[in-house]
Amino acid sequence: ANCLKTVVEHNEHMERRAQEESTRKMLSNGDNTRTAISKMGTTATFLGTTIVNSTTSILKDRAYARMFGTSSLASKVPVITYGLWASRDAMVMGSSFVLPEMVSETLKEGTSMTKQDALRLSQFLCPVLTQVFASPLQLLGLDFYNRPLREMSFGKAIFERSRFVGQNFSSVTAARVARMAPAYGIGGIGNTYFRNEWRNMLIRREMKNMDETSTDQDRRESARNLVDLVVAGERDSRERDQGI
């Protein structure tokens, strides 16, 4: 999501530069559409990430269930299994891209940690701790596929499924933590770091251009680019403060 957001931000920046280089009239129109473009980019980031991640994950789980499942009816995956897996993916996405911002604010207010350190800790811990709740959904989805248990009473079926989850909870949770921690924890911290460094590099380049350029027009263009980069950074900071 951070990588996708970087691409969207870069496209917005290049679009504004193209508008500003044409005419002052188009510059005015660009200011009016800037907010709409930004909102569309943010929406596209989260919708695109969620749709791609959830769809591919469910298709992968369905393929594994059919290849390694124990059901003699191994033909159609029940709807409840899809629902459980979709809920699992929603929890993982929320714990990776939404929850860390909220948790970091609580950590910052309740401890002596800086905002940056609190965010990094939250980005690592939230996806890991969420696996405690996501693993039972994963197991139940598989169990509904492998064991329909239609011949059992409701109470006995609940007992059997609870026993199945309990027997496999530790191993599945450990495996999911080992997979999620590098991808969503360390990866999320790394993506944010490199994205911020990328923006800072552009800011330094524009400041250098302002010092080296000799014409007023080039200075004005560098100044506009610098303002766009600073505004983008401030927008990210506001979104973090609001938990967006």
Side-chain angles (χ1 to χ4, degrees), residues 61-70 74-77 82 145-146:
D61 288 332
R62 185 185 67 176
Y64 284 166
R66 287 176 172 174
M67 286 188 292
F68 305 109
T70 60
S75 57
K76 185 177 180 181
V77 178
Y82 286 123
Y145 172 74
N146 288 319

Side-chain angles (χ1 to χ4, degrees), residues 20-52:
E20 291 167 357
E21 289 172 358
S22 57
T23 61
R24 289 187 175 275
K25 181 177 179 179
M26 290 191 67
L27 174 62
S28 176
N29 292 336
D31 289 336
N32 291 334
T33 58
R34 180 174 300 177
T35 301
I37 293 175
S38 176
K39 290 181 178 179
M40 290 175 61
T42 302
T43 302
T45 297
F46 288 102
L47 285 180
T49 304
T50 301
I51 291 172
V52 171

Side-chain angles (χ1 to χ4, degrees), residues 17-196:
R17 285 190 62 180
Q19 291 175 347
E20 291 167 357
E21 289 172 358
S22 57
T23 61
R24 289 187 175 275
K25 181 177 179 179
M26 290 191 67
L27 174 62
S28 176
N29 292 336
D31 289 336
N32 291 334
T33 58
R34 180 174 300 177
T35 301
I37 293 175
S38 176
K39 290 181 178 179
M40 290 175 61
T42 302
T43 302
T45 297
F46 288 102
L47 285 180
T49 304
T50 301
I51 291 172
V52 171
N53 180 81
S54 185
T55 301
T56 55
S57 179
I58 290 176
L59 290 176
K60 178 260 297 178
D61 288 332
R62 185 185 67 176
Y64 284 166
R66 287 176 172 174
M67 286 188 292
F68 305 109
T70 60
S71 175
S72 59
L73 302 175
S75 57
K76 185 177 180 181
V77 178
V79 175
I80 190 170
T81 293
Y82 286 123
L84 289 167
W85 288 345
S87 300
R88 173 206 62 194
D89 292 338
M91 292 175 64
V92 172
M93 295 299 294
S95 68
S96 302
F97 303 116
V98 179
L99 192 59
E101 308 291 352
M102 302 177 183
V103 174
S104 66
E105 288 299 318
T106 302
L107 287 176
K108 186 186 70 173
E109 294 173 359
T111 65
S112 58
M113 298 177 64
T114 64
K115 182 176 182 179
Q116 188 176 23
D117 289 341
L119 180 59
R120 287 175 179 172
L121 182 61
S122 300
Q123 284 181 308
F124 181 79
L125 289 181
C126 287
V128 171
L129 296 178
T130 300
Q131 302 315 311
V132 174
F133 305 98
S135 296
L137 298 181
Q138 168 76 14
L139 289 168
L140 284 173
L142 290 172
D143 197 37
F144 270 102
Y145 172 74
N146 288 319
R147 301 191 304 167
L149 302 183
R150 297 188 184 94
E151 71 284 356
M152 291 188 181
S153 64
F154 181 75
K156 190 173 182 180
I158 291 179
F159 174 79
E160 283 295 321
R161 298 201 189 281
S162 299
R163 188 165 63 89
F164 172 78
V165 171
Q167 290 173 343
N168 297 275
F169 176 80
S170 298
S171 59
V172 170
T173 301
R176 289 186 61 85
V177 167
R179 183 167 66 93
M180 295 295 177
Y184 289 95
I186 299 173
I189 295 173
N191 282 339
T192 300
Y193 170 79
F194 286 115
R195 185 164 160 270
N196 290 337

